[in-house]
Amino acid sequence: MREFLYRLRVPLLFAGLLLCFLITLLADRRALREGGTDTGFLPGIVYEVAAPIGNVIVTPFDWIAEGWRNYLYLVDVNRENEELREEISQLKEVNLQYREALVSSENLQRIVEMRSGFEVPMQPGQVVGQDLSILFRSVLLNRGQTSGILSGMPVVTGNGVVGLVTATSPHASKVMLLQDRQSAIDGIVERSRARGIVRGHGDEPLVFELIARGDDVRAGDIVISSGLGGVYPRGLRVGKIVEVSDPEEGLVQTARLAPSVDFGRLEQVFVLLRRAPTMNLLYGVEGDSQKIGPRAEGVPKE
Amino acid sequence: MKTALAFFALACGLLVFQGAISRVIPPHLCPDFALLFVAGLAFRLSSLHGLLFAAVVGYLADNLSGTLLGEHAILYTTIFLVMRVLNRQTDLSGGFRRGLVVGLLTLLQGLGLIWMAYFFREQSLLPVALDGGLWIQALVNAIAAPFFLSWFLRFMRDRDSESPLSRHALGQEVLR
């Protein structure tokens, strides 16, 4: 019997491993459906190790890129351009939010409420690693729970929506990009208020689907987040429509959307330190902001 | 034990390096070091030790990518076994053959990920793969495989004298 088992040790080990993989796979799928995982230091050791090493590896490349931009081109002009671009981007965002509030209601109070809705604390983070698989789109950030970041928090840049935090450890976090096929965000066309769902398509462009047939959607229209999904705040820029396909049959039309964020050149991003009510429902009620763990409630009160 | 730790550190280093370097160059132009590492294990380690190492590398890769925890682990253990059987039954000493096999295994891995995404998450990754990324990465892996594997096998050989794992593998190789 012992010899028989010894001979079968490799198939038995393989079968045992497969069983373990299946269990962790199903557990992880469940965790992802519930909004992600916030782990402590030991379970999140991979992120804890990967983030600082990744930081060390990408820093020289960033320096080189920065040097190229700053010294090989005109130093002052470039810097000024950068500042102006940043300022324009911020102003565009603010302008968009005001216009968004004005369109949805002409009440000034409404604008004040919306502004306060956007004034959430943000945590800057550096992208230190990309997804290992070419079929998925996620990035690793060098900030985690100690900076107030938890799963389910939206990630943005000055240009628009980047994605969603799906896993965190004390000093690092994983962000699923809007490009990933698992990503979806409820969006509206800023000009005509046509609604639809923006889905990641693996690579650019994004797909803006389930738009009611007959809704006014044109190439060049800007799509912003509607806030209805309960995850992303309202009024964040998602992208610009590049092509609309209006089928002759069916009830809906689809458009292709150029994302407002250049995902290929992500360096610095901002995590909105506010988890949407939907996420808070999944994680229980709001509580101690310092607590760290799978059911931590580090979300600033809205 | 030392060698096992060295392998583990090497695997971690390669995965983090791949993730970091993918931020600088297009991801599909970067060799899949994790897959190459697992393929390299099949040349030297016993089936038992290799399976365990492949599982660990798979879990590490799952943590650093958007896959569910276990997807890469399933694929890497399978890839290890396929590579091991091929290594036993055919001659994989040439660079071209190694490159060809690794290229095919990259495609196998891609198809595995597509199937698992469809099965466990009901999402189709086929268009992403067909966009060209998977073919290009298979080609890049095939080109990188002979160089990486020869370096990796040299690295393992250097540790043969102190490692019971590798001594076992060496014994098996001599018997073969």
Side-chain angles (χ1 to χ4, degrees):
Chain A
M1 183 64 182
R2 183 179 279 184
E3 195 180 333
F4 177 70
L5 285 176
Y6 184 76
R7 279 185 181 177
L8 284 178
R9 66 195 189 284
V10 173
L12 283 176
L13 177 67
F14 185 57
L17 285 172
L18 279 183
L19 190 66
C20 290
F21 299 152
L22 204 62
I23 290 167
T24 55
L25 217 151
L26 293 174
D28 199 38
R29 182 175 73 160
R30 188 176 173 187
L32 198 67
R33 281 183 176 173
E34 288 179 357
T37 47
D38 298 315
T39 57
F41 183 84
L42 276 178
I45 189 82
V46 178
Y47 302 139
E48 293 294 303
V49 172
I53 298 175
N55 211 359
V56 169
I57 294 171
V58 297
T59 302
F61 289 104
D62 286 345
W63 284 345
I64 293 166
E66 189 77 10
W68 178 263
R69 280 195 294 267
N70 287 340
Y71 295 105
L72 293 186
Y73 289 103
L74 298 168
V75 176
D76 289 333
V77 174
N78 188 40
R79 191 176 298 150
E80 200 180 332
N81 278 345
E82 284 294 321
E83 284 169 8
L84 286 171
R85 266 193 217 115
E86 200 171 315
E87 201 176 338
I88 289 169
S89 164
Q90 285 170 358
L91 288 172
K92 270 185 185 169
E93 198 62 52
V94 171
N95 188 25
L96 205 64
Q97 288 164 16
Y98 279 125
R99 281 162 67 189
E100 163 62 13
L102 277 167
V103 170
S104 55
S105 162
E106 288 183 7
N107 187 346
L108 192 63
Q109 184 60 35
R110 177 88 181 121
I111 299 175
V112 175
E113 279 172 19
M114 190 172 167
R115 254 192 70 81
S116 64
F118 272 95
E119 280 168 4
V120 290
M122 287 195 270
Q123 176 65 49
Q126 181 85 9
V127 175
V128 293
Q130 284 270 5
D131 202 308
L132 289 182
S133 170
I134 56 166
L135 300 177
F136 298 88
R137 300 287 183 270
S138 66
V139 291
L140 190 67
L141 299 188
N142 65 346
R143 293 277 185 274
Q145 292 156 3
T146 50
S147 306
I149 298 174
L150 290 172
S151 295
M153 290 181 172
V155 182
V156 298
T157 66
N159 292 324
V161 179
V162 170
L164 193 71
V165 177
T166 55
T168 63
S169 70
H171 300 99
S173 47
K174 188 159 74 172
V175 177
M176 182 169 70
L177 301 180
L178 202 56
Q179 280 182 311
D180 194 285
R181 291 181 76 85
Q182 297 169 82
S183 285
I185 171 171
D186 197 284
I188 44 175
V189 176
E190 195 253 332
R191 180 183 57 81
S192 66
R193 324 306 294 166
R195 272 193 60 202
I197 306 283
V198 179
R199 279 190 193 283
H201 212 246
D203 220 335
E204 294 171 84
L206 306 169
V207 176
F208 188 35
E209 59 188 24
L210 299 177
I211 315 161
R213 196 170 168 214
D215 274 1
D216 184 11
V217 183
R218 295 178 210 155
D221 278 347
I222 290 170
V223 176
I224 56 175
S225 59
S226 72
L228 286 177
V231 177
Y232 297 93
R234 185 176 189 157
L236 293 172
R237 187 188 289 257
V238 180
K240 189 189 268 189
I241 292 176
V242 288
E243 188 189 343
V244 184
S245 59
D246 192 4
E248 289 180 4
E249 290 179 356
L251 296 171
V252 292
Q253 52 183 333
T254 306
R256 289 163 83 81
L257 199 68
S260 53
V261 173
D262 186 352
F263 291 105
R265 290 182 185 176
L266 274 183
E267 287 177 17
Q268 179 141 36
V269 295
F270 297 92
V271 182
L272 298 183
L273 297 180
R274 185 189 73 171
R275 208 157 44 188
T278 316
M279 290 293 173
N280 280 330
L281 279 174
L282 289 169
Y283 282 77
V285 291
E286 290 179 44
D288 180 10
S289 63
Q290 298 303 310
K291 193 178 160 191
I292 290 170
R295 298 284 156 185
E297 295 304 330
V299 187
K301 288 185 177 179
E302 289 175 43
Chain B
M1 186 64 187
K2 263 186 187 175
T3 308
L5 284 175
F7 285 164
F8 183 70
L10 179 67
C12 285
L14 286 171
L15 287 170
V16 174
F17 178 74
Q18 186 186 332
I21 208 77
S22 298
R23 221 205 73 184
V24 184
I25 60 170
H28 53 270
L29 292 181
C30 180
D32 189 343
F33 289 114
L35 188 139
L36 292 172
F37 181 90
V38 171
L41 289 177
F43 285 95
R44 302 295 289 184
L45 288 192
S46 66
S47 298
L48 280 180
H49 294 133
L51 269 177
L52 290 173
F53 260 108
V56 171
V57 176
Y59 271 124
L60 289 174
D62 283 322
N63 263 295
L64 294 173
S65 82
T67 51
L68 295 175
L69 208 60
E71 287 187 28
H72 273 112
I74 290 175
L75 291 168
Y76 285 170
T77 45
T78 310
I79 283 170
F80 171 82
L81 284 180
V82 170
M83 195 74 187
R84 183 134 185 91
V85 169
L86 283 176
N87 189 36
R88 278 189 169 183
Q89 299 194 343
T90 59
D91 176 20
L92 286 182
S93 55
F96 176 75
R97 289 172 194 174
R98 285 177 182 176
L100 186 70
V101 169
V102 168
L104 290 173
L105 287 177
T106 308
L107 292 177
L108 178 76
Q109 181 191 228
L111 291 175
L113 284 173
I114 290 167
W115 180 79
M116 278 193 272
Y118 184 73
F119 189 79
F120 290 107
R121 282 178 284 191
E122 293 154 10
Q123 60 174 183
S124 171
L125 292 175
L126 203 56
V128 189
L130 294 179
D131 275 351
L134 189 58
W135 300 104
I136 295 170
Q137 196 178 42
L139 188 67
V140 170
N141 274 353
I143 293 167
F147 303 102
F148 180 89
L149 289 177
S150 90
W151 169 81
F152 182 69
L153 294 178
R154 211 177 309 130
F155 173 84
M156 292 182 90
R157 210 172 299 133
D158 289 346
R159 274 145 193 84
D160 267 350
S161 56
E162 55 183 290
S163 161
L165 304 184
S166 301
R167 271 206 299 273
H168 176 81
L170 197 65
Q172 282 196 332
E173 203 169 87
V174 168
L175 283 175
R176 227 169 65 216

